[in-house]
Amino acid sequence: GAKFVSPTNATWPWNSFLFTPIDRFMDFINPVRHMDGFNPYSQLVAQRNYPPFSYLIIGLFTFIDLKISLLIYLVAFILFLLAFLYKSTLNLEKSNRMKNTFIIFFMSYPVLFILDRANFDMVVFMLLFLFAYFYERNKIKTSVVLLAMAVSMKLYPLVLIVIFLSDKRYKEVLMTGGLTILLTLLSLLIFQVDIATNISHMLINLNLYNQDYVIDGGGFNYGHSLFGLLKLFFLSVIDADTSSLNTLEVIKISMKPYFIFVIILFLLISMYIIKYESELWKKVLLLIVSLCLFPYVSADYKLIHFFIPLILFFISRSDNDSYSKYSILFGLLLMPKSFYFIWTEQGYVSVSNILNPIIMCMFIVFLIIDKYNALNNK
């Protein structure tokens, strides 16, 4: 079963809240190396499971030296986030704007974690951020293109299409879906191998990913998914030495009912957004919680997406009694918490694997309670 452990020395993971130093930047380096001359699915391995458009973007970095391309990638992300953080604090004095931007950026766990991993969620984040930015300014066609590009890179941003539905923009829903399909097909046409083979290899790699990262625990550490909490429960109650139950089989069997459960939960959240929610930052927050909390595996670099509702929250300049409450929750979510560890059959997990899903659930509960109270006070 799972148990808390204490360090006998100051080596990793006890001397850092980030991933193992020997693997730094490898979420960028490995995919770039694996392009194999625009043949990304040439090997059947769990690590080559990105959608085709992701590899088209990744392929752009293969035309220059690897170290230079990594530097360009990291600097572009840093400048992008710093610029928008600074712009979101326009209501403050210049000195306070610079101080707050510095603190939020350099002391935020998701920022430090995604820079350490150099994961291509940086690109997804920038696309989703710009989607929200232009949508708020009623640049709808631009926001459609940006959301379609994000969905084409990694499927989970599709949840944000609920924003179109909530505003009765059904044409934009169809446009997003159509453009996503088009970008995917164009990417497949550019690759060396035929479309059917690439699709077949991609699906095989997705199955391998589920086995390696969901069932076997490759994506268990430094995660924040609800399924991770469920796995931790199984690993805690099942004693591998005395129980006749096979933990991996229990985890595998639980995947289908969990999938049905989160689909129902997401539909309920979507219905709530469509029927009751009017503020953009609250819509985006609920959907970002969904895309981080509900997948089988959610690595901590995905927490960077909470900067989108956070900045919308800043811009909203809410002055009601709930402002401090949500500020505290954002702060708790974005601070590092990987200081205490639990040993399981699938390796070390930190208390952040428990705390971050709880904080996300608190966002959902508080938003619904606030809306209920507002409706009753009318």
Side-chain angles (χ1 to χ4, degrees), residues 157 177 238:
I238 299 174

Side-chain angles (χ1 to χ4, degrees), residues 320-333:
N320 56 38
D321 294 336
S322 63
Y323 186 86
S324 297
K325 175 174 60 182
Y326 292 115
S327 298
I328 291 170
L329 285 178
F330 275 119
L332 289 173
L333 188 64

Side-chain angles (χ1 to χ4, degrees), residues 9-245:
N9 52 52
T11 59
W12 184 87
W14 289 283
N15 63 354
S16 172
F17 50 79
L18 299 176
F19 202 66
T20 173
I22 63 173
D23 203 56
R24 182 163 293 140
F25 306 137
M26 296 308 287
D27 282 1
F28 175 91
I29 294 171
N30 284 332
V32 173
R33 285 176 173 171
H34 292 167
M35 280 301 295
D36 296 338
F38 278 80
N39 185 17
Y41 305 114
S42 59
Q43 293 185 25
L44 300 180
V45 291
Q47 291 75 21
R48 300 196 186 190
N49 61 83
Y50 287 168
F53 186 66
S54 282
Y55 285 111
L56 186 62
I57 299 298
I58 292 167
L60 299 176
F61 293 96
T62 63
F63 293 104
I64 54 178
D65 179 77
L66 182 60
K67 291 182 179 179
I68 296 175
S69 64
L70 174 60
L71 180 63
I72 293 171
Y73 179 63
L74 295 176
V75 170
F77 170 76
I78 291 170
L79 293 177
F80 177 91
L81 188 52
L82 282 174
F84 278 96
L85 282 175
Y86 187 76
K87 187 173 182 179
S88 69
T89 57
L90 286 173
N91 57 321
L92 301 176
E93 295 179 2
K94 186 174 181 180
S95 59
N96 288 332
R97 290 172 68 188
M98 296 181 66
K99 179 183 69 176
N100 288 2
T101 300
F102 179 88
I103 291 173
I104 294 171
F105 185 91
F106 290 101
M107 298 185 182
S108 170
Y109 172 65
V111 174
L112 298 175
F113 195 88
I114 201 168
L115 286 172
D116 182 77
R117 302 304 305 132
N119 191 274
F120 278 94
D121 254 53
M122 287 183 185
V123 179
V124 178
F125 165 77
M126 289 188 281
L127 291 170
L128 292 182
F129 192 102
L130 290 172
F131 156 76
Y133 178 85
F134 285 108
Y135 191 81
E136 186 193 34
R137 285 154 180 78
N138 208 35
K139 301 291 182 63
I140 307 303
K141 291 183 179 179
T142 303
S143 65
V144 166
V145 174
L146 291 163
L147 181 57
M149 291 175 67
V151 175
S152 300
M153 284 197 68
K154 294 191 176 182
L155 187 60
Y156 63 78
L158 185 62
V159 300
L160 289 166
I161 209 166
V162 174
I163 292 176
F164 290 145
L165 293 173
S166 69
D167 292 334
K168 296 181 173 56
R169 296 186 182 276
Y170 306 119
K171 183 177 70 174
E172 283 71 17
V173 172
L174 296 176
M175 289 171 60
T176 303
L179 187 54
T180 298
I181 294 171
L182 180 62
L183 289 172
T184 300
L185 291 176
L186 287 176
S187 302
L188 288 169
L189 286 171
I190 292 172
F191 296 156
Q192 290 183 352
V193 183
D194 63 276
I195 292 178
T197 300
N198 276 319
I199 292 175
S200 173
H201 286 186
M202 180 180 66
L203 294 176
I204 292 171
N205 288 349
L206 282 172
N207 286 330
L208 292 172
Y209 176 88
N210 281 338
Q211 181 63 49
D212 291 354
Y213 284 82
V214 180
I215 299 172
D216 292 340
F220 193 27
N221 293 329
Y222 299 92
H224 52 262
S225 73
L226 201 58
F227 192 74
L229 270 184
L230 185 64
K231 285 179 65 175
L232 185 58
F233 171 75
F234 290 146
L235 294 167
S236 299
V237 299
I238 299 174
D239 191 326
D241 296 326
T242 61
S243 176
S244 59
L245 293 171

